[in-house]
Amino acid sequence: MRILFLGDIVGQPGVAFVKRALPVLTACEAFDLVIANAENASGGSGLTPGAYRQLRDAGIDLVTLGDHIYKKQDIIPVLHQDERICKPANFPADAPGRDFALATARDGTPVAVISLLGRTFMRPVDCPFRAADRVLQALGDRVRCVVVDMHAEATGDKYLMGHHLKGRVSAVLGTHTHVPTADEQVLAGGTAFISDVGMTGPYDSVLGRRVDRVLPTTITFVPSSFEVATGDPRLAGAVIELDAQTGRAAAIRRVMLDEAGLAALPQR
Ligand SMILES: [Fe+2]
Ligand SMILES: [Fe+2]
């Protein structure tokens, strides 16, 4: 089974590029399931129900969020009703949303995704390790293919989660920092790992925001609105090859698709 996982989709440029590029890429690669982190999809912070629908219609089966989950509060009814989208599992029990999202892959295999937030240089949250243990126990044997979105600032937090969950989940994939790392590997027991898959959005930017806003504000301390940039949209993520029966990952590879790369793919 082949799963594509996309990193933080940023703003309308990110959503628009997903809509154009994902169907073409999926036709080439025959993904069985597509997962994406969409915490920055609407205006760079949060996710509206409309953008969620657009991403689902573009071919994304499961959606995770992160620290910006409730920035667009009209997503809350969707978080209650829709089993394809989840909250960070180490948020308080009373925070809206479910602990995991679930879908059936093209080949008939059930796949779950769990979202966890790191605790270094981030707002205090519950222990992500114990939250992961709790959700895995709740999933039990009915779902063998489990992907974890480790949404954290520090690479150490991500490695610790990879080692905590190795041999117990199919993949631990990092998001939040928006910069892809080159450390993809399969850990002992068949757990694919990477510190960060990178963002899906405008790369002519500072992590997705306009350079001409962020840079002067950083130097002068005069505030400005950090609007989403537009130039050089790219799709970034990782492809995991796994055994549907055992849930073990056999391989992980990075994906970075820009306009030129998209144009070079066979178009239907
Ligand atoms: Fe993000
Ligand atoms: Fe984030």
Side-chain angles (χ1 to χ4, degrees):
M1 183 170 52
R2 183 177 290 168
I3 294 177
L4 172 67
F5 181 98
L6 295 176
D8 307 37
I9 299 169
V10 180
Q12 193 50 35
V15 174
F17 197 65
V18 166
K19 288 165 75 172
R20 286 174 49 220
L22 185 56
V24 179
L25 189 62
T26 299
C28 293
E29 297 248 19
F31 302 123
D32 293 291
L33 190 94
V34 180
I35 305 169
N37 182 303
E39 70 150 5
N40 306 110
S42 298
S45 188
L47 175 66
T48 63
Y52 173 68
R53 198 66 256 163
Q54 289 182 50
L55 293 173
R56 294 275 289 105
D57 290 345
I60 293 170
D61 300 294
L62 292 170
V63 171
T64 57
L65 294 152
D67 47 313
H68 297 304
I69 177 169
Y70 304 128
K71 291 283 171 62
K72 304 284 186 283
Q73 291 193 17
D74 45 355
I75 199 64
I76 289 173
V78 179
L79 287 165
H80 283 304
Q81 291 153 19
D82 193 327
E83 68 172 12
R84 301 293 194 98
I85 183 169
C86 62
K87 71 171 179 180
N90 55 333
F91 263 20
D94 288 338
R98 51 192 80 216
D99 281 343
F100 60 87
L102 191 63
T104 304
R106 264 23 120 221
D107 72 343
T109 306
V111 178
V113 65
I114 303 171
S115 161
L116 297 166
L117 289 194
R119 292 190 294 185
T120 305
F121 306 131
M122 298 182 83
R123 205 172 91 179
V125 283
D126 293 346
C127 175
F129 304 96
R130 292 301 171 228
D133 294 343
R134 172 174 52 79
V135 179
L136 287 177
Q137 188 159 26
L139 284 168
D141 283 341
R142 65 195 167 114
V143 187
R144 294 192 184 277
C145 298
V146 178
V147 174
V148 172
D149 173 352
M150 186 58 194
H151 196 78
E153 193 72 44
T155 48
D157 278 5
K158 298 176 184 190
Y159 271 89
L160 286 164
M161 189 58 69
H163 287 289
H164 183 64
L165 295 179
K166 68 189 172 196
R168 301 164 65 197
V169 301
S170 305
V172 174
L173 308 173
T175 59
H176 176 73
T177 41
H178 290 205
V179 178
T181 57
D183 58 343
E184 72 275 18
Q185 59 195 286
V186 178
L187 298 172
T191 298
F193 177 85
I194 185 169
S195 288
D196 202 295
V197 298
M199 71 165 179
T200 294
Y203 273 70
D204 182 7
S205 71
V206 177
L207 309 179
R209 306 297 179 135
R210 283 173 56 163
V211 177
D212 64 343
R213 298 289 169 83
V214 181
L215 189 54
T217 291
T218 303
I219 292 170
T220 66
F221 281 24
V222 177
S224 63
S225 63
F226 290 178
E227 286 164 14
V228 171
T230 54
D232 191 15
R234 300 187 204 176
L235 185 149
V239 175
I240 317 298
E241 312 276 353
L242 57 148
D243 181 325
Q245 299 304 315
T246 64
R248 281 173 163 242
I252 174 171
R253 79 183 134 88
R254 278 177 280 144
V255 172
M256 174 69 82
L257 185 70
D258 62 5
E259 290 282 9
L262 174 59
L265 289 176
Q267 312 281 324
R268 281 180 299 174

